[in-house]
Each structure stands twice: as structure tokens, then as C-alpha cells.
Amino acid sequence: MSQSNDIYGVERWGKGLFSINDKGEIALKNPLSEHAKPVSLVEILDSLEERGIATPVLVRCTNMLQAQIQRINQSFKGAIEELGYQNSYQGVFPIKVNQQAQVIDRIVEFGQPYNYGLEAGSKPELLIALGHQLPKDALLICNGSKDAEFIRLALLSLQIGFNTVIVLESIQELDLVLKESKAMGIKPLLGIRIKLTNQVKGNWAASSGDRSAFGMTSEHVVDVIDTLREHDLLDTLILQHFHLGSQVPDINDVRHSAVEAARFFVELCKEGVPLKYLDLGGGMGVDYTGEHRSTENSVNYSVEEYCRNVIESVMNQVDRAGLAHPTIVTESGRATVANSSLLLFNVLSVSQYHAEKNLTLPEDAHELLKDMVSILEYAKSDRLQEGFNDIAYYRSEVRAAFRRGQVSLRTLGLAEQAYRHVVNHLRSAAQRMEWISDDVHEVLSSHTDIYHANFSIFQSLPDAWAIDQIVPVCPIHRLNEAPTRRGIISDITCDSDGKINHFALTDGVHHSLPLHDLRDDEPYYLGAFMVGAYQETLGDLHNLFGDTNVVTIELDENEGFHLLHEVEGDSIATVLSYVEYDPQRLFGTFKQIVESAVSNRRISPAERRTIIDAYRDSLNGYTYYEH
Ligand SMILES: Cc1ncc(COP(=O)(O)O)c(C=O)c1O
């Protein structure tokens, strides 16, 4: 194993999907073919480049998606057989997690053998689901707030053979369903969303427990049963649903919730509700950092363990009540698609954190400057933190003195140099230490290089910006070369939030990333991995950086890959139209401005042509930095 492999933890978070080849490049393993030679990401990029598809590019790998759908379904099947559960598992994919046509089409295709269905949380998502040929017994589950139109469409779809279950989110929704189904003369298939009392940990804790926005409390559940019975429609209530929130980090929370849900299931059955399905919603997490522990960006369980825990918890409760086992449904989104997409982008330049090796102060240097440099005499390992505290203090004193007019510009400049010089020495000392405090880490991370890269965090990794989500980010080549620098990644938006400064490395989460020096005339590529869930549609147009190029690839059974589909990234004209401009009108006005410059003899007619061509090319060009 190379040194860099150790640093970035590719094998740890990559979990058999990525490896490092002899050239030190990250390669995609085909999870569906043990013998296939892993395909280097650099080779993929080169081959895309030859076809005219440039970075930044989002790569979706169908084999990874198919393998994950197989894994989840087979894990449930395995748990069912192992534990002697007397019913089956039937998943649905929540469309909201990745609505892109290429993704949904393939999910439906790969899900055929498993009666895999879809979950829609809005009218547009319902229309997507109804535009797909689902397996005969697959479920189409309708969650979220529903108006009459949503309900009518769901009811109509029953007539053409979809198993569309309207999950009641509130008591008001029941009234609407009763009204519409009576008017249309179509008996609904209903589910009920229960608000569990158990609250889970993690970023989405608010989606569970008493204060969660969706679902019904026990009083409302009783009201629904009574109302349905009054209308002689209790037999339509066939599914019980709950959703804990996304990325549940702790398997104990999964287990507690499954137990509580099963308790509700038992009680509903005792009330005479003919429930067939127990739907445990989404929440199966992804181990983004590879730490395999219960933290926001990791999970302390595997897919297989999740499935066993769910089946066992439900079975215990239902057996105790002597009831028949329900069909288990889950709506795992993130765990299904996250792994299968990755973003590849190039570094444009580096702002190095530069410190003079030798610093000589003039004899008459200001006392504060001498104090700064004297820190190096005492700030050894046991007083390192003190050294950092002192250097920060003296620098702020010099800056304050400058503002009061007590020191000159030259002294201020010298103080900045002294600051970098001392911090550099302290950093070298810190690197030799086994443990350093979080505060020192914090200071060091604010003194690393900045690698400016060709992507927008707001467009491509919105959760990394909005909720500090960590996804693995690292160079995709030169991994058999020890990195000599440390840096953070800054995107090309002109927003100071446009940066990545949390990184999952082999030895945990760090505030900076080991990186290589840029070489002349040689691209330096980075990858952001596991970005298939939520990121594409949550992304926004900050600074008008649009959708990146997207390719769907399939790895061969032996070696190499096929390009199955390509979507060109947004052109500038397209993003301008998103924000209400008519690109042709803008172009027309620009031409008039250029023409008046010709009339005023500021430019020649030939120059007019060059200027107009430049504008036209830009309108049609990529919003990102082009080579
Ligand atoms: C009702 C429902 N089901 C399923 C999901 C998917 O969750 P996850 O992606 O964590 O599996 C969500 C998303 O939060 C949801 O709201």
C-alpha cells in the first residue's frame, strides 16, 4: 500500500468500490465482476476529454448503483431467511434523493427482480413515478403534503394497475381523501404516517420525535381509525409508515425505532386494521468518513446489520402478539445512490502560505516585533499552544498600534512577515507531535495553502456548504508520491463560504488536506466521492455557475468502460435565462453598444467583429473555467 493511500483512506471509505493502481491513480472497481480490472479515473477523464467533455464533470457509475440495489435487497432476503421471518421485503426508492431521469430510469431497471417501487413526495415526483413501468407488485408510496389534485392522480393510477398508497400525513388529509375518493368512486389504498416518540441523533434529529413536522400522534391515529371505520373504509388502511430522518448514525436508534413502530403495528392490528406493510422510511446511513462510528458523517453499522436489526426487532414484537408478519418496506435513498456518483474537477492555481525561511529584524526594530521572534526560544513541545496564543496576541497589538498611528506601514509589513515566520516554525514542531489540541489544529488550518479548484460548492456539494457534510475529497492521481503541502479547497465562486475545509483522512477528520505541488503544464485533478444523494437538485446557481457536465458510465466486465449517456453542462445563455434574461436580447443590446463604439470611431469595424464573436462564444460556452 502506498503512503498516500494510507493518508486519504481510499480503501477505508471506498469500501471495495475504489482502489489505487500502480500508477498511484484512483480506480473504479466493478462491484458486479470480481475479475474486472479497475478503471483509472484519470483514464476516464482523458477519454472524456478526447470526446470534448471537460471538467468539472459528474460521473455516475451504473454498476455501483446496481450493486447497491442488489446488496440492500439481498441483505434483507438473507436476514429474513436467517431469522425465519415469514414474509418478504419490498423497497421503494424515494425520488427526492435523486430525481434525475438517468438515475431513476436505471433504479427502476435494476429494481425489477426485487419488486422495487418508488416513493413520491410531491406532484412532480408522482408524475415521474407514473411515467415508469414498475413491476406488477411494486409499491408506489405517496408521502408529503397533498392537495386534491395529488390525491386524484394517485386514485386514478389505481385504475391502471399501480399499487399507489396514499400515506396520510395529517387528519386533514384524510378528509380530503374521503371527499375525492367518494366523488370519483375509487376506493383508495391508504397508509398512515406515525410520529414515533423515539428521537434519533445526527444531522436530521428534528425529523424524529414529538416536534417532527410530519406524521400523526397516537391521538390522531385513533381518530383516523374511528373515521375510517365510520365510513366503512377501515379495510383500505394497509400500510403503516414512519421516517426517522436521514443518515441515522447509530444502529441502536434504528432498533429502538423499529421496536416502537412494531408496537404501533401490533396495536393497530388489535384495533382491527388489516395492515399488510410496515414501512420504516429512509435513514439508512452512509459511512462518508470510513470511521465506522456513530457520528454525523459516519455510521456504526453495515447494510447487513441494519437489515438484521430491522427484521429481528419487528419479528420479536409481532410474534409476541401472535400476529402474522407484515411485508417490510424501507425507503432508503441515500444508502442506495450516494456511492454511485463522483465529481471530478481540476485545480486552477494555489495560493501558498508562504513564510520567509530567514527573518532578520533591524536592530532598532519595534519591541513588539522582537517579542514575536522571541517566542521561538520558549515555544517548544510543552509550550506550543502558548506560542500560538502569544504570536496571535503580538500581531493584534501591532495592528492596533498601526491603527492608532503609532507604527509605520513598514513595521506592520515586517510584523506580518514575523508572524508567518514564527507560525511556520511552530507548525513544523506541531507536525512532529503525536497529539495537538483542537485550538492548535484550528490555527494551523487557517495557515495552509488554498487550492483554487474548478467547481462550485453551492452547485455540486451544497450539503458541504449548508450543513458541513463531509464527503471524501482527495487527489485522484499522484498517490504514490508523498504530498508535500497541506491545503483547503476553494471553489471559483467569489464567496468566502465557497470552500471545503473538513476532510476525511485515514486517521480521522482534518481541517486541511495533504496535497501535491502543481506542476507546469500538467493538470492536477481532485475527486469528491459519494455525491449521488441529494446534491444534484439541492445545488444552486450562486454566481451563475450552472450544472456541470454529467456522464453515465458502465464499467466493463473485464476492463474499460462505456459511456452510456452524456448531459452537457449548462451554457452561460442557459443560466442567464434561469434568472429571467433573454440571452438574445442581451446580445442585441450589446451589439448596439459595440456599433455605437464603431460610430464614435473608438473601434474599427473589424474590431467590432472580434468583440461580438467573443460575446457570442461566451454565451454558448460552459459556465466553468475552460481550458
Ligand atoms: C419520507 C421519507 N422517506 C425516505 C427518505 C429518504 O431518506 P434517506 O435518504 O436517509 O434514506 C426521506 C428523506 O428524508 C423522507 O422524507
Side-chain angles (χ1 to χ4, degrees):
M1 189 182 284
S2 73
Q3 189 185 359
S4 294
N5 189 345
D6 239 355
I7 294 171
Y8 300 113
V10 174
E11 308 268 337
R12 207 158 87 114
W13 47 256
K15 302 241 164 36
L17 296 175
F18 308 99
S19 62
I20 297 177
N21 67 16
D22 296 346
K23 291 194 211 154
E25 298 165 351
I26 298 187
L28 301 186
K29 287 192 185 172
N30 184 344
L32 299 171
S33 164
E34 263 179 42
H35 312 291
K37 189 166 163 248
V39 185
S40 152
L41 286 175
V42 176
E43 259 171 52
I44 294 177
L45 272 187
D46 287 347
S47 160
L48 293 177
E49 186 93 9
E50 274 175 32
R51 292 166 163 96
I53 305 170
T55 49
V57 58
L58 183 80
V59 179
R60 300 193 192 118
C61 178
T62 56
N63 317 62
M64 294 186 179
L65 184 55
Q66 185 172 7
Q68 192 65 358
I69 290 174
Q70 277 182 9
R71 181 173 177 195
I72 294 174
N73 279 282
Q74 285 170 3
S75 300
F76 267 113
K77 191 161 181 273
I80 284 171
E81 281 167 12
E82 183 187 320
L83 298 165
Y85 191 79
Q86 297 299 309
N87 209 327
S88 58
Y89 164 75
Q90 221 182 305
V92 291
F93 180 76
I95 297 176
K96 69 167 87 56
V97 181
N98 193 324
Q99 301 98 334
Q100 306 296 321
Q102 283 296 313
V103 175
I104 298 295
D105 288 355
R106 282 165 214 281
I107 285 175
V108 171
E109 177 193 337
F110 301 145
Q112 292 289 333
Y114 307 108
N115 269 332
Y116 198 36
L118 292 169
E119 183 258 5
S122 65
K123 281 183 282 186
E125 290 180 0
L126 178 58
L127 295 192
I128 293 177
L130 294 178
H132 285 82
Q133 202 67 261
L134 295 180
K136 191 172 110 335
D137 294 323
L139 293 168
L140 197 179
I141 295 185
C142 299
N143 288 323
S145 308
K146 301 165 205 74
D147 63 4
E149 186 187 347
F150 192 153
I151 289 166
R152 279 198 298 272
L153 209 54
L155 291 170
L156 285 173
S157 71
L158 288 172
Q159 294 189 310
I160 49 170
F162 281 94
N163 303 307
T164 313
V165 180
I166 301 173
V167 176
L168 302 169
E169 301 273 358
S170 65
I171 201 87
Q172 295 79 2
E173 224 164 69
L174 175 61
D175 295 338
L176 207 51
V177 172
L178 290 176
K179 185 168 159 240
E180 293 302 327
S181 65
K182 189 168 173 207
M184 296 166 76
I186 302 173
K187 215 172 170 184
L189 287 181
L190 295 179
I192 183 164
R193 179 161 177 171
I194 309 266
K195 204 182 259 198
L196 298 186
T197 58
N198 186 40
Q199 182 151 17
V200 305
K201 294 188 276 293
N203 252 335
W204 284 269
S207 307
S208 60
D210 290 341
R211 297 293 299 150
S212 59
F214 291 104
M216 300 210 211
T217 59
S218 42
E219 307 126 78
H220 288 150
V221 174
V222 173
D223 284 350
V224 169
I225 296 174
D226 291 346
T227 311
L228 284 174
R229 186 172 278 127
E230 260 170 47
H231 287 79
D232 201 17
L233 284 173
L234 199 56
D235 60 333
T236 61
L237 188 51
I238 56 162
L239 179 141
Q240 180 196 310
H241 171 273
F242 77 94
H243 173 65
L244 281 184
S246 203
Q247 185 66 13
V248 177
D250 192 339
I251 191 67
N252 281 326
D253 283 333
V254 173
R255 200 186 260 279
H256 286 140
S257 309
V259 168
E260 189 180 349
R263 278 289 305 124
F264 269 98
F265 178 87
V266 166
E267 291 298 320
L268 260 72
C269 289
K270 283 193 197 157
E271 289 278 336
V273 182
L275 290 175
K276 281 169 67 183
Y277 301 96
L278 178 54
D279 178 351
L280 292 97
M284 190 197 290
V286 171
D287 192 1
Y288 290 101
T289 60
E291 294 170 292
H292 201 71
R293 64 194 187 102
S294 165
T295 61
E296 280 169 7
N297 297 289
S298 179
V299 290
N300 64 3
Y301 54 89
S302 63
V303 171
E304 291 74 15
E305 188 179 346
Y306 176 97
C307 299
R308 264 195 309 276
N309 274 263
V310 163
I311 297 292
E312 192 177 63
S313 308
V314 173
M315 193 166 122
N316 283 345
Q317 296 304 318
V318 177
D319 279 351
R320 210 173 284 172
L323 295 171
H325 297 164
T327 301
I328 298 293
V329 179
T330 65
E331 304 176 356
S332 294
R334 180 187 298 275
T336 307
V337 282
N339 283 342
S340 54
S341 297
L342 50 129
L343 179 78
L344 301 177
F345 51 97
N346 53 311
V347 171
L348 299 168
S349 62
V350 183
S351 305
Q352 290 195 341
Y353 181 78
H354 185 69
E356 293 295 332
K357 281 223 166 66
N358 299 313
L359 178 84
T360 334
L361 292 183
E363 286 211 348
D364 61 346
H366 196 285
E367 280 310 306
L368 282 169
L369 297 194
K370 291 182 183 160
D371 289 340
M372 286 173 107
V373 176
S374 71
I375 292 174
L376 294 177
E377 289 160 25
Y378 60 83
K380 302 285 174 319
S381 56
D382 58 331
R383 293 175 67 187
L384 203 61
Q385 174 100 47
E386 191 181 334
F388 278 112
N389 297 341
D390 291 352
I391 193 69
Y393 170 75
Y394 289 131
R395 180 169 72 163
S396 72
E397 284 294 288
V398 178
R399 287 177 168 183
F402 175 76
R403 287 194 293 270
R404 289 193 298 268
Q406 291 164 343
V407 302
S408 68
L409 176 65
R410 281 183 188 279
T411 302
L412 182 68
L414 212 48
E416 296 301 326
Q417 260 184 45
Y419 176 82
R420 285 201 300 276
H421 177 77
V422 172
V423 166
N424 213 33
H425 273 77
L426 297 180
R427 187 213 320 258
S428 307
Q431 276 163 358
R432 289 191 295 273
M433 287 170 63
E434 276 182 13
W435 179 87
I436 49 176
S437 69
D438 282 353
D439 276 11
V440 170
H441 254 306
E442 191 79 33
V443 180
L444 288 179
S445 66
S446 56
H447 297 96
T448 52
D449 297 341
I450 302 175
Y451 277 61
H452 303 278
N454 192 14
F455 79 112
S456 155
I457 193 170
F458 306 94
Q459 177 60 257
S460 295
L461 303 171
D463 280 346
W465 162 62
I467 52 166
D468 288 333
Q469 158 98 55
I470 297 176
V471 294
V473 174
C474 69
I476 60 161
H477 55 155
R478 297 175 64 182
L479 299 197
N480 44 16
E481 219 182 283
T484 49
R485 309 206 61 90
R486 284 193 85 100
I488 61 160
I489 315 292
S490 163
D491 72 5
I492 54 171
T493 64
C494 52
D495 189 316
S496 53
D497 274 358
K499 61 177 187 280
I500 306 176
N501 56 5
H502 287 87
F503 303 94
L505 303 179
T506 286
D507 56 351
V509 174
H510 287 251
H511 295 286
S512 64
L513 184 66
L515 289 159
H516 303 87
D517 265 317
L518 295 195
R519 292 193 189 124
D520 289 345
D521 301 326
E522 201 181 286
Y524 188 49
Y525 292 121
L526 304 178
F529 296 82
M530 305 188 191
V531 298
Y534 298 103
Q535 303 311 284
E536 287 193 56
T537 21
L538 283 182
D540 69 37
L541 281 176
H542 196 25
N543 270 143
L544 299 187
F545 289 106
D547 279 341
T548 65
N549 291 322
V550 183
V551 294
T552 303
I553 62 163
E554 180 182 34
L555 303 174
D556 259 4
E557 284 199 6
N558 302 313
E559 61 179 310
F561 74 98
H562 302 286
L563 177 60
L564 299 182
H565 193 266
E566 173 201 352
V567 185
E568 265 186 45
D570 286 334
S571 67
I572 293 183
T574 307
V575 296
L576 291 179
S577 65
Y578 292 155
V579 285
E580 301 171 4
Y581 291 97
D582 173 351
Q584 284 316 315
R585 234 180 100 192
L586 280 180
F587 192 25
T589 310
F590 181 74
K591 279 184 186 162
Q592 282 169 15
I593 296 169
V594 181
E595 189 51 42
S596 45
V598 177
S599 306
N600 299 335
R601 300 185 190 288
R602 291 171 69 101
I603 56 168
S604 68
E607 283 170 327
R608 176 198 132 112
R609 171 190 287 233
T610 315
I611 293 172
I612 285 181
D613 285 351
Y615 194 98
R616 184 189 296 107
D617 285 353
S618 281
L619 268 186
N620 296 328
Y622 202 14
T623 56
Y624 293 91
Y625 188 99
E626 295 185 277
H627 313 299

